[in-house]
Each structure stands twice: as C-alpha cells, then as structure tokens.
Amino acid sequence: MSGGHLSKEFFELVKSIGESRSKQEEDRIIVNEVAVLKSNLGQPHITPKKIKEYMIRAVYVEMLGHDASFAYIHAVKLTHEKNLFAKRIGYLTCNLFLHKDHELMLLLINTMQRDLGSANHLE
C-alpha cells in the first residue's frame, strides 16, 4: 500500500483487522485503537498533521461499528485550522460523525459561516 500522508501504524491497524480470525479479535484490536486514539488526542500541542491522521483512524473505528464520539470535538477543532487540507479533513469528518441535531453542530455552523464570509478563499 502507498499513502505517504498516513502512518505505518494506520496501515498496520487495517492489516491486523483484515487478518483477524473472529469478531472478538477484531473488537479487541478496535478497543485497543480507541484507547490509543483517546490518549493521543488528549495530549497538548498535537500537530494538525497528526490530528488529521487521528480523525481518519476515528472514522475507521466508527465504520466498524465502535464509538468514537471522543473524537468529535477534535474534528470540529480541525475545521478552525488555516491549512486548507486540515480544514477539509475536519469538515469531512464532521459530515461523517455529526447528525443534524448534534450539540456540536452550532459550533460547526458558526465556523462554516466564518469561513464563507472570509475574504481569503484559501482559508
């Protein structure tokens, strides 16, 4: 696999889940991944690049039917970044994570209105 923007750990996660022999083994791997993500997202001064990867990993966790609601606020925070790619990942993950009545939608809508009103189209 190629993908210079994602870490080797992510590919190892996907590979280990793909090679799991039972649903229980898959669940154990995902529970471990959730613990790692919670720990990593709780650290101060995380680079936007790392947060982008953590959001992609959280989407993968949710795709497999596990709760990643701890990552929702970080997805919203990612929409505040100046980097267009980071902002894009933030909006995409919010689209996947948040339903229309979620409590974080108001914050997301305010961010979106600020972005749409910005004179800088790359911001």
Side-chain angles (χ1 to χ4, degrees), residues 7 16 27 30 35 41 45 49-50 55 63 66-67 73 75 78 82-83 87-88 94 96 109 111-112 119 123:
S7 72
S16 64
D27 288 344
I30 296 296
L41 286 170
H45 311 297
K49 181 179 179 179
K50 279 293 187 187
M55 289 302 101
M63 256 178 31
H66 293 264
D67 180 47
I73 188 65
L78 201 54
K82 297 291 184 202
N83 177 300
K87 186 181 287 280
R88 183 172 148 202
C94 284
L96 294 170
I109 289 168
T111 304
M112 193 176 294
E123 188 173 80

Side-chain angles (χ1 to χ4, degrees), residues 10 14 17 23 26 30 55-68 72 96-97:
F10 179 71
V14 173
I17 289 171
K23 179 67 175 150
E26 179 184 302
I30 296 296
M55 289 302 101
I56 292 168
R57 290 163 70 171
V59 167
Y60 192 65
V61 165
E62 285 235 337
M63 256 178 31
L64 294 172
H66 293 264
D67 180 47
Y72 295 178
L96 294 170
F97 285 153

Side-chain angles (χ1 to χ4, degrees), residues 9-69:
E9 290 84 17
F10 179 71
F11 289 112
E12 291 297 321
L13 170 68
V14 173
K15 182 179 173 189
S16 64
I17 289 171
E19 293 174 348
S20 62
R21 298 185 185 269
S22 68
K23 179 67 175 150
Q24 292 78 17
E25 185 179 352
E26 179 184 302
D27 288 344
R28 182 186 52 76
I29 294 167
I30 296 296
V31 166
N32 185 46
E33 178 65 14
V34 166
V36 168
L37 285 173
K38 281 182 181 179
S39 171
N40 289 344
L41 286 170
Q43 295 179 3
H45 311 297
I46 309 170
T47 64
K49 181 179 179 179
K50 279 293 187 187
I51 293 177
K52 286 186 300 187
E53 177 173 336
Y54 298 153
M55 289 302 101
I56 292 168
R57 290 163 70 171
V59 167
Y60 192 65
V61 165
E62 285 235 337
M63 256 178 31
L64 294 172
H66 293 264
D67 180 47
S69 59

Side-chain angles (χ1 to χ4, degrees), residues 80 91 104-115:
H80 292 96
Y91 279 119
L104 292 174
M105 284 302 281
L106 184 59
L107 184 58
L108 184 64
I109 289 168
N110 288 336
T111 304
M112 193 176 294
Q113 286 175 335
R114 188 196 70 215
D115 286 345

